[in-house]
Amino acid sequence: MNPKLAKHILVIRLSAMGDVAMSVPVLRALTEQYPNIKVTVLTKSFFSPFFRDLPNVSVFSAEVKGKHKGIIGLYKLSKELKRLKVDALADLHDVLRSNTLKIFLSGMPFVQIDKGRKEKKALVSGKICEQLKTTHQRYADVFQKLGYTIDLSNPSFPEKASLNDKTQKFIVGNSKKIIGIAPFAAHESKMYPLDLMEQVIETLSKAYHIILFGGGRQEIEILDSFERKFENVTSVAGKLSLNEELDVISNLDVMLSMDSGNGHIAAMFGVKTITIWGVTHPYAGFAPFNQPNDYMLLADKNLYPAIPTSIYGNKYPEGYEKASGSIPPNVVVEKTRSIL
């Protein structure tokens, strides 16, 4: 498609926090390299803060559990979207909802992501063991099909966010380097064992200030216990809005996370991001944006040869639940120190 024809693109990326965060550096590159373009992102309202500092980007909230629920709700949504008078649609999601919208919005240029399902299936089945195309590049490919070639090789990032009175206490006046640690993930098989993570936190807290991230009642209780137990450790879990958490993350010196959304959020700010991998693997294309390969700490494949067992960490053989525990705590500590 001739890019001169598509001045206003509707981008569909409805859910999955990490995937939504991964779209941000791509949209930043798109709007910087094509400053005359207008982008509307269709996503859940909760994710709106992710796009707060992108030029020419606005968010249209999809209420998929409310008025936009089900077929009738999606039809109503399509009617609302037509009023935006967009020139093309870029589907970065490719799920039932976006495919339904494709039908309701027929007649408009509509390009969908190629998720590479076939090669990902080959990867987790052990038929291949090689780096697949990154999700960031798959997003960029969608825009290329619309006529917008995006160069992701020299990215820019926003300035560190200004802090309000509530968030300043976590950052301002601290003479130590600040490490964010997000120890949780959607599946146990993607988490570093908490007893080992506690050792990491204890060691690093002797020289650095640690800010812990998480959500949900049980996670908050665990992180609060770490805060009480160690000096120089603070948990922000349950204490800040998403906007405020983003402000704090943008001010970190380094983030240590699992293969999870917090790693992608830190990376979209250009924060140095170390990731710990269990039964998943960066080969599937979900590594945080613009991070060196040696920032990714992988489970011992000699001990767990079936890795990667799945793309999302929801499937794995018996005994693989704590595969990431094969990474010694001192390796995590030394990697963090070397980056700082």
Side-chain angles (χ1 to χ4, degrees), residues 9-11 26 89-93 110-114 136-148 150:
I9 297 178
L10 176 68
V11 174
V26 180
L89 292 95
D91 180 9
L92 307 186
H93 205 173
F110 195 113
V111 178
Q112 287 182 298
I113 185 174
D114 175 5
H136 302 97
Q137 188 56 53
R138 292 186 188 278
Y139 289 165
D141 288 348
V142 173
F143 296 105
Q144 185 172 18
K145 291 176 183 176
L146 288 172
Y148 295 91
I150 304 174

Side-chain angles (χ1 to χ4, degrees), residues 306-320:
I307 290 175
T309 67
S310 66
I311 300 301
Y312 304 110
N314 56 332
K315 298 177 182 178
Y316 47 86
E318 185 178 353
Y320 275 61

Side-chain angles (χ1 to χ4, degrees), residues 85-96:
K85 300 188 183 302
V86 298
D87 304 306
L89 292 95
D91 180 9
L92 307 186
H93 205 173
D94 188 10
V95 293
L96 181 59

